[in-house]
Amino acid sequence: MATEPTELDTHDVELERELSSLLDVERFPPPEGFRKRALLSDPKVYEEAEQDWQGWWAKQAEELHWFKKWDKVLDDSNPPFYKWFVGGQLNVSYNCLDRHVEAGRGDRVALNWLGEDGSERKLTYADLLADVERFANALKDLGIKKGDVVGIYLPMIPEVAVAMLACARIGAPHNVVFGGFAPEAVRERMEFAEAKVLITVDGASRKGTITPIKQAVDLVVGDLESLEHIIVIAAHGTPCEMRSGRDVWYHEIVAAADAKCPAEPMDAEDPLYILYTSGSTAKPKGILHTSGGYLTGVTATHRYVFDLHPDEDVFWCAADVGWVTGHSYIVYGPLANGATGVMYEGAPDYPHKGIWWEIIQRYGVTIFYTAPTAIRACIKWGAEYPRKFDLSSLRLLGTVGEPINPKAWLWYHKIIGAERCPIVDTWWQTETGQIMITPLPGITETKPGSATTPFPGVLADVVDEHEGKTIKEGQGLLVLKRPWPAMLRTLYRDDERFVETYFKRFGNTTYLVGDAARRDKDGYIWVIGRIDDVVNVSGHRLSTAEVESAIVAHESVAEAAVIGQSDELTGQAICAFVTLQGTIEGTTEIEEAIRETVAAHIGKFARPKRIIWSNDLPKTRSGKIMRRLLRDIAEGRALGDVTTLRDPAVVDMLGQAIATAPEED
Ligand code: WTA
């Protein structure tokens, strides 16, 4: 389980003093000016939703455009396989595009895009609709039909949104792979989902260098039987080979396609997308989201959690579109709400460490949503960067992805929000699809470090790990005791693992989150971290088993055990205990080679920060690696029960090894 990272020093005496005085403030009520204009400012909304939670969600669904209204809000006859808005028909891309254009809002900017090199594109709702219609037709021309899985492996360029919406338009579930994943991981995800098409790019720009992408993908996907076509976006003119009959250029197929592609009516429960995420084993889980409930959940939460006034606000979610945060709060929620958004191609420190703040000034961003890790990086770089820019357009801030330590919260509040902007600390998961535990910015008094209370209509609880009994005040397991519209419907083609992972512990109506949490005397929830073998590095979800299996792929490695270790910058960092083959001695060369192997199998973000050579690993008599013990050793904590340990001498050996092991920068 994660422990709180140690606090970063701002190296600014005055700022340190100001932040520590704020540490004594227990609650931050919504600023009066904010509350007055907020969409929701009356706490009665919680009671109303509670009295008739299905009715509350139905009211949210009514905000969308339906080709045919549903017959039943919720079918809960076969838990945990819930169905929402049964019998209803809609199209997600129609809701995100056509209806705004039809209502005369076609000229509104949907996406302000900024490239790493400073180039800019402004796509209005009308532009986006035109691109999506053509690309949807191009997909159809390639033989893609409703139900066919389409892989997307793209950097942060507008075409990623076009591709997702074009898939939604024709009912082809997309399977987006984060651009930071290695081609190997792309291959694996295409194979599991039997994708028919992969949409990628010739090259991607990262911190001033162009990396060839199509070329790298070609090396690993060649033998995938299901993969009929690769569509390549020519973004940088990076040379790549085009296999005839299989590979096509995006600009060519789009130019040849019809301009009109009416949105296909979909059943509310038709799949919208699959998104692979990490679980306890090395095999990623294909989270399946469907259409009607998902769009209802993300649209309602986007509107109310971010208090969206679509005519005035500029909303920027600085996540990558390849993670669920990007799916729900860059693409689907904001576009369904007719918001004006921002998309930045590059890294937060390129071309300079103030680029995010420059973007906020440039586009007049009013609502900004990011991860605690990014905030901690900014703290480290120094407050002088944000101070150089005019951030007065901001009125609301959000965080997601990991627990935020109070000091980072206060820094965000003071330096970015100028003590004027409420902060919404939003807890949710790939599985939940939508924000679940969060303040409502015009109502909730926030406490730094707590995601506060469930969104109206959501029923979360903290329970004891044995019997699942409610813990009114104290620490336990976080569970969700009632279905919600954007919940995952299953794991793609693996109903059994779905039930086993989330519903075996406490029965079919209680969803096991996988996080530990504490509830305080006021009923506020403080999410602590994962209880399973999932680590959260800079808000990126990884399974220790995935990293282990990448490490043992290196020829010199006999065995590896991976744990998450607290890190002041990235929340958790990967720490690997590695046993080498035979008499091979650990060297810095092997260490680097192991890191490269992990980068090649998963992605650079999964590279272990620390590698600790160990002749043996602590195991139970039955041979199971005792990760709990490794975590205690790595954190320098008192060791728990060691009576089941096969060879107690291992503990001392590891204690010494860890004291001398270096860290990668
Ligand atoms: C963690 C990201 C504390 C948690 C949207 C969860 C958080 C996992 C918060 C899901 C938060 C997310 N406070 N922890 N506000 N938000 N988490 O699937 O451990 O990438 O289970 O979804 O991130 O990560 P995922």
Side-chain angles (χ1 to χ4, degrees):
M1 194 187 303
T3 50
E4 235 170 56
T6 46
E7 297 286 10
L8 276 166
D9 193 344
T10 58
H11 301 291
D12 177 333
V13 181
E14 197 173 322
L15 181 56
E16 282 292 317
R17 196 176 322 119
E18 287 168 0
L19 292 180
S20 59
S21 75
L22 284 173
L23 272 173
D24 297 333
V25 182
E26 200 207 353
R27 289 159 178 265
F28 291 78
E32 195 45 30
F34 187 97
R35 201 187 63 80
K36 273 200 189 131
R37 292 208 58 227
L39 297 177
L40 295 177
S41 55
D42 186 345
K44 276 208 192 96
V45 63
Y46 287 100
E47 278 162 55
E48 281 166 27
E50 210 43 37
Q51 275 163 14
D52 176 13
W53 55 275
Q54 293 191 28
W56 155 259
W57 288 121
K59 203 167 98 189
Q60 305 313 318
E62 273 158 20
E63 299 283 323
L64 301 175
H65 171 276
W66 294 79
F67 292 123
K68 177 175 171 285
K69 202 176 163 180
W70 56 89
D71 307 315
K72 199 171 183 328
V73 176
L74 173 68
D75 175 358
D76 56 1
S77 58
N78 182 28
F81 298 96
Y82 295 99
K83 292 185 181 140
W84 283 86
F85 309 112
V86 185
Q89 287 194 329
L90 81 169
N91 182 287
V92 169
S93 89
Y94 185 93
N95 272 283
C96 290
L97 303 170
D98 307 56
R99 83 180 158 129
H100 304 309
V101 175
E102 284 166 17
R105 294 190 293 268
D107 290 340
R108 179 179 296 170
V109 174
L111 217 49
N112 286 293
W113 180 83
L114 183 68
E116 246 202 352
D117 61 1
S119 54
E120 220 174 6
R121 283 165 71 183
K122 275 186 194 298
L123 278 95
T124 64
Y125 276 89
D127 296 336
L128 205 51
L129 175 60
D131 288 356
V132 167
E133 288 198 72
R134 276 194 188 276
F135 188 46
N137 277 329
L139 286 171
K140 283 203 226 166
D141 294 343
L142 285 177
I144 297 303
K145 296 182 302 296
K146 186 176 167 183
D148 290 341
V149 175
V150 174
I152 300 178
Y153 181 49
L154 289 173
M156 291 286 280
I157 54 176
E159 285 76 11
V160 72
V162 173
M164 290 164 76
L165 291 160
C167 289
R169 200 160 186 89
I170 63 172
H174 55 71
N175 175 12
V176 180
V177 183
F178 166 53
F181 272 115
E184 278 280 345
V186 179
R187 185 210 141 83
E188 185 181 58
R189 283 156 178 74
M190 294 306 114
E191 190 179 11
F192 290 162
E194 291 184 27
K196 270 202 169 171
V197 170
L198 175 63
I199 304 165
T200 190
V201 72
D202 54 355
S205 174
R206 194 71 180 165
K207 298 199 186 191
T209 355
I210 311 287
T211 316
I213 301 293
K214 161 73 165 60
Q215 228 178 62
V217 166
D218 265 344
L219 296 176
V220 292
V221 299
D223 61 335
L224 284 184
E225 267 173 33
S226 64
L227 198 66
E228 293 172 9
H229 295 286
I230 300 184
I231 300 173
V232 188
I233 295 164
H236 292 285
T238 322
C240 59
E241 215 175 287
M242 299 292 279
R243 191 199 280 182
S244 122
R246 187 193 66 179
D247 302 348
V248 291
W249 289 105
Y250 175 87
H251 58 273
E252 287 180 3
I253 57 171
V254 162
D258 251 12
K260 280 284 145 224
C261 176
E264 191 100 9
M266 299 291 154
D267 284 340
E269 284 296 332
D270 277 337
L272 177 63
Y273 69 80
I274 309 163
L275 184 59
Y276 281 87
T277 188
S278 298
S280 286
T281 69
K283 193 176 172 213
K285 304 185 285 197
I287 306 298
L288 181 77
H289 283 296
T290 57
S291 304
Y294 174 80
L295 196 65
T296 300
V298 300
T299 309
T301 49
H302 180 256
R303 182 184 310 125
Y304 292 130
V305 174
F306 298 109
D307 186 50
L308 184 82
H309 294 67
D311 299 337
E312 301 157 30
D313 279 318
V314 177
F315 176 82
W316 184 21
C317 166
D320 192 285
V321 86
W323 301 104
V324 74
T325 306
H327 283 55
S328 297
Y329 300 107
I330 294 178
V331 180
Y332 292 117
L335 294 178
N337 279 325
T340 293
V342 172
M343 191 188 245
Y344 177 53
E345 184 187 32
D349 57 350
Y350 188 87
H352 59 82
K353 292 190 170 90
I355 183 67
W356 275 13
W357 322 117
E358 186 183 330
I359 290 172
I360 289 176
Q361 172 182 298
R362 180 174 187 145
Y363 297 110
V365 172
T366 58
I367 308 167
F368 180 59
Y369 190 35
T370 188
T373 287
I375 299 167
R376 289 193 294 266
C378 294
I379 296 177
K380 195 177 157 202
W381 297 334
E384 64 266 30
Y385 293 99
R387 280 180 179 145
K388 271 190 235 161
F389 299 94
D390 176 6
L391 306 181
S392 61
S393 57
L394 286 172
R395 62 180 200 91
L396 178 62
L397 303 172
T399 71
V400 56
E402 6 150 29
I404 182 161
N405 42 315
K407 193 168 159 190
W409 194 103
L410 292 168
W411 187 92
Y412 197 33
H413 168 71
K414 190 166 176 60
I415 302 297
I416 308 303
E419 301 184 47
R420 172 187 74 237
C421 307
I423 296 180
V424 287
D425 173 351
T426 63
W427 175 89
W428 58 295
Q429 310 177 292
T430 309
E431 289 88 338
T432 69
Q434 65 177 76
I435 293 170
M436 299 295 280
I437 303 177
T438 176
L440 286 177
I443 299 177
T444 313
E445 296 194 348
T446 52
K447 300 185 188 184
S450 168
T452 72
T453 57
F455 187 77
V458 169
L459 185 59
D461 201 2
V462 177
V463 301
D464 86 274
E465 62 180 307
H466 303 292
E467 291 165 69
K469 282 209 189 108
T470 296
I471 296 174
K472 276 225 160 75
E473 201 186 321
Q475 188 174 320
L477 304 183
L478 186 62
V479 294
L480 299 166
K481 287 191 158 166
R482 182 192 276 169
W484 63 98
M487 69 188 294
L488 78 165
R489 297 304 192 260
T490 189
L491 295 180
Y492 190 60
R493 293 186 180 158
D494 203 347
D495 288 349
E496 216 173 288
R497 190 175 174 202
F498 168 66
V499 178
E500 159 92 26
T501 310
Y502 306 105
F503 296 96
K504 206 180 107 192
R505 186 86 164 246
F506 300 122
N508 284 345
T509 57
T510 301
Y511 169 91
L512 179 73
V513 161
D515 283 348
R518 179 169 67 80
R519 183 159 37 200
D520 71 14
K521 59 180 194 320
D522 304 315
Y524 278 44
I525 292 173
W526 302 69
V527 176
I528 297 164
R530 304 285 311 189
I531 52 163
D532 50 12
D533 291 320
V534 171
V535 277
N536 193 329
V537 181
S538 304
H540 299 336
R541 224 172 119 166
L542 277 167
S543 97
T544 51
E546 250 172 305
V547 182
E548 283 163 8
S549 96
I551 294 177
V552 297
H554 187 275
E555 55 186 12
S556 306
V557 175
E559 195 171 34
V562 163
I563 57 160
Q565 196 179 7
S566 308
D567 188 276
E568 63 172 13
L569 212 56
T570 58
Q572 284 187 290
I574 300 277
C575 170
F577 294 83
V578 175
T579 309
L580 294 172
Q581 302 269 13
T583 54
I584 301 178
E585 287 281 322
T587 60
T588 46
E589 284 76 39
I590 302 184
E591 205 174 309
E592 212 25 51
I594 289 175
R595 289 201 175 97
E596 283 315 307
T597 310
V598 174
H601 281 264
I602 305 175
K604 278 197 183 130
F605 65 93
R607 289 160 56 103
K609 183 164 181 182
R610 303 183 82 189
I611 292 180
I612 294 160
W613 306 122
S614 48
N615 300 332
D616 201 357
L617 292 168
K619 288 184 186 152
T620 61
R621 289 189 192 93
S622 60
K624 263 183 92 172
I625 295 175
M626 294 174 75
R627 282 206 183 69
R628 174 183 55 78
L629 209 62
L630 289 174
R631 283 194 286 263
D632 289 345
I633 296 170
E635 303 284 355
R637 281 194 295 254
L639 301 186
D641 184 11
V642 290
T643 48
T644 48
L645 196 62
R646 192 174 57 191
D647 176 12
V650 172
V651 172
D652 284 341
M653 185 269 291
L654 285 177
Q656 282 168 21
I658 203 160
T660 51
E663 283 187 5
E664 193 195 29
D665 283 337

